Amino acid sequence: MHFPAHASWPAAFPRSFRKQYPRAVRGEGAWIHDEHGKRYLDVAGSAAVSFLGHGDRAIARAMAAQLADIEFAHTSQFATAVAEDFARELLEFAGAPFSGGAVYFTSGGSEAVETALKLARQFQAESGHDERYQIVSRHQSYHGATLGAMAVSGNLRRRKPYLPMLREFRHINTPYCYRCAYGCDNCAAAHARELEIAISESDGAAAAFICEPISGATLGAAAPPDGYLQEIRRICDAHGLLWIADEVMTGCGRTGRNFAWEHWKTLPTLSLATPASDKGRATVAPDIIVAGKGLAAGYAPLGAVIASRRVVEAIAVGSGSFIHGLTYNAHPVSVAAGRAVLNRIRELRLVQAADSNNTGSLAAEFAAALRTLRDCDFVGDVRGLGLLWGVEFVADRQSKAPFDPSAGFSARVFEAAQRRGVLVYPMQGCVDGTRGDHLLLAPPAVTLPDEIRDGVAELRRAIQEVQAS
Ligand SMILES: Cc1ncc(COP(=O)(O)O)c(C=O)c1O
């Protein structure tokens, strides 16, 4: 498209030059207000970011206090108390498998994924496995916008223009229960088996496997079948790979657990290879957790790589330094924001509020309200856990046939909902990377039950409006 010479656009590079964005001026709880006084219920939590809601003064105060003490000190020259304290608290929040580990703070999710990939590679090299450098990942996944993160991602649309620039390794399929590739026949083991095959094809070069424990934006809150993550853990152990859990979207309470992998930590293992004495008590914990989004909940740019002791130890007692560095690594004001957010999450018991299995919780109310959407003609599936849900649209519920992508069904629902003052996160491509429309829903855990019910009612009207058009 050629713009005429007199054309102009916003100086702040917009996401789309075809759209006009309302200007956000104020946030309060689950609401964002624009410059014209219209308010929007943030049922998407921006993009699964605002777990704590908007405008929490306690976070502003903590950031201002840090700013008044010291705004920045380079990590090659100084440590800061705030980074050390928050790292300790985060390791504790991540649970016993991360005791004695260490946290590398970044400025967001993509940087944290890049950091985790490099950390996994250096871990292997320092453990005497210089031949291991490949990262096995999954189709229909998203790990970030930078080139390394995009190489391990499987989101077709977001990757397509950059494919010639990506260094790619093996991708395996992601469990997607609504359209199960294995017809739900022993599918947890069958999917995990794909990892074993990819590892053997890598001929000893695989260093790590990365996945989202619950698929986020790309598939719309698709949780794996029970047993899948246990098998992933077993296979990684058996073949000497690290398991990196990308919890940028699912972490920090979003699914009703501190981190989403914990949903499966107490289930019995599937594998016949597991000795009988070990059944039911396998350790499913990842070696590395990547966090972002909800970590500072939108109050500051912040990501984190939470590494277990074994990973850190290899470098600490090996070469002694991780060959990696970011100017804004552990920025004191961002870290202060993250620390204050974690404090508020505890104080307001937001992980409990986000547990959809906890009767009477906000998440349980939300799940119940969303499930009522199943009676809408074009709603094929409503799925999710905690406060992370997906609504998949289909042209035909019987055959599960998706809409033609050019119809832009999910984008039209987004627009109709936005006009009604409700924010949702529309995506396309869940079926095969191109076809398939869905919404991702991830409201703040401070949303009031009435607000959540009204929000879902407005969403129903938006879907019906698009259905009728
Ligand atoms: C699972 C996952 N990983 C990584 C990222 C990248 O994070 P960021 O956009 O903060 O760079 C995202 C962002 O949506 C994500 O959902």
Side-chain angles (χ1 to χ4, degrees):
M1 179 174 180
H2 291 286
F3 283 92
H6 61 269
S8 65
W9 38 73
F13 213 110
R15 284 273 174 144
S16 167
F17 288 94
R18 309 279 163 79
K19 281 172 79 173
Q20 284 216 313
Y21 299 91
R23 280 203 181 126
V25 293
R26 194 162 62 84
E28 204 177 356
W31 298 88
I32 294 181
H33 299 247
D34 75 11
E35 63 181 335
H36 302 298
K38 178 168 174 170
R39 60 178 204 153
Y40 305 81
L41 184 67
D42 188 5
V43 182
S46 299
V49 175
S50 303
F51 188 61
L52 183 54
H54 304 274
D56 190 313
R57 297 281 158 228
I59 316 303
R61 282 195 296 274
M63 292 173 74
Q66 181 59 49
L67 206 44
D69 284 347
I70 177 140
E71 82 298 340
F72 179 73
H74 199 274
T75 46
S76 66
Q77 295 156 347
F78 291 99
T80 60
V82 68
E84 287 175 0
D85 290 344
F86 186 37
R88 233 181 357 262
E89 289 159 8
L90 206 49
L91 288 169
E92 207 182 292
F93 185 71
F98 293 87
S99 168
V103 181
Y104 195 106
F105 291 110
T106 68
S107 304
S110 303
E111 262 187 12
V113 167
E114 297 284 343
T115 301
L117 302 182
K118 289 172 73 176
L119 184 59
R121 158 64 185 157
Q122 194 173 330
F123 164 84
Q124 294 289 5
E126 300 231 5
S127 307
H129 293 289
D130 200 41
E131 75 286 1
R132 291 183 177 270
Y133 63 95
Q134 298 186 4
I135 311 288
V136 182
S137 62
R138 303 195 304 190
H139 298 295
Q140 296 289 66
S141 62
Y142 184 64
H143 297 294
T146 50
L147 291 176
M150 198 168 282
V152 295
S153 292
N155 185 307
L156 212 70
R157 284 173 167 245
R158 292 182 181 178
R159 283 159 44 97
K160 199 171 170 200
Y162 308 105
L163 282 176
M165 300 167 74
L166 302 181
R167 176 84 199 268
E168 298 216 61
F169 305 120
R170 281 162 187 77
H171 287 70
I172 62 171
N173 289 308
T174 300
Y176 178 18
C177 295
Y178 180 58
R179 300 175 188 276
C180 183
Y182 293 99
C184 302
D185 180 16
N186 204 13
C187 53
H191 271 291
R193 172 89 186 117
E194 290 188 26
L195 175 60
E196 210 144 34
I197 294 167
I199 294 169
S200 89
E201 285 172 358
S202 82
D203 224 359
F209 172 63
I210 184 167
C211 70
E212 301 161 82
I214 298 174
S215 172
T218 315
L219 283 184
D226 289 346
Y228 173 73
L229 291 178
Q230 286 92 324
E231 271 303 273
I232 291 297
R233 176 70 276 177
R234 183 193 65 78
I235 292 167
C236 286
D237 283 344
H239 298 273
L241 272 70
L242 293 182
W243 173 28
I244 304 170
D246 181 347
E247 298 243 16
V248 167
M249 190 171 271
T250 55
C252 304
R254 170 59 63 195
T255 72
R257 297 288 182 277
N258 292 2
F259 290 97
W261 68 266
E262 296 170 32
H263 283 288
W264 291 276
K265 75 175 170 187
T266 57
L267 291 174
T269 54
L270 288 175
S271 177
L272 296 175
T274 308
S277 58
D278 283 352
K279 285 206 169 162
R281 53 185 185 83
T283 309
V284 187
D287 299 293
I288 297 174
I289 294 175
V290 182
K293 291 187 184 273
L295 182 63
Y299 287 83
L302 186 66
V305 176
I306 305 170
S308 59
R309 184 179 175 90
R310 171 167 86 104
V311 175
V312 183
E313 196 171 35
I315 294 168
V317 304
S319 67
S321 56
F322 180 24
I323 315 295
H324 184 62
L326 302 161
T327 298
Y328 285 137
N329 161 216
H331 189 281
V333 181
S334 291
V335 170
R339 187 167 187 231
V341 165
L342 184 57
N343 231 339
R344 288 294 273 163
I345 288 176
R346 287 196 163 123
E347 208 172 277
L348 302 175
R349 297 178 55 80
L350 296 186
V351 182
Q352 291 81 352
D355 184 356
S356 48
N357 296 320
N358 178 8
T359 312
S361 68
L362 174 76
E365 295 272 343
F366 187 48
L370 279 178
R371 286 186 180 120
T372 67
L373 297 178
R374 285 183 173 146
D375 63 20
C376 293
D377 283 350
F378 295 148
V379 171
D381 195 25
V382 176
R383 54 179 174 257
L385 259 180
L387 285 175
L388 187 71
W389 286 77
V391 175
E392 181 168 338
F393 300 113
V394 287
D396 181 81
R397 293 213 294 195
Q398 198 68 36
S399 64
K400 302 185 181 176
F403 286 101
D404 189 302
S406 64
F409 194 92
S410 53
R412 281 161 56 214
V413 173
F414 162 77
E415 284 158 15
Q418 192 185 30
R419 280 194 299 275
R420 293 170 177 280
V422 171
L423 299 173
V424 295
Y425 182 156
M427 287 289 291
Q428 268 191 327
C430 51
V431 175
D432 54 11
T434 306
R435 296 176 311 143
D437 284 82
H438 65 273
L439 301 179
L440 190 75
L441 305 162
V446 297
T447 312
L448 302 174
D450 280 352
E451 291 173 332
I452 213 78
R453 280 190 290 270
D454 291 350
V456 174
E458 284 300 341
L459 176 58
R460 167 187 288 277
R461 288 183 203 110
I463 295 170
Q464 285 166 342
E465 186 184 318
V466 176
Q467 246 171 243
S469 66

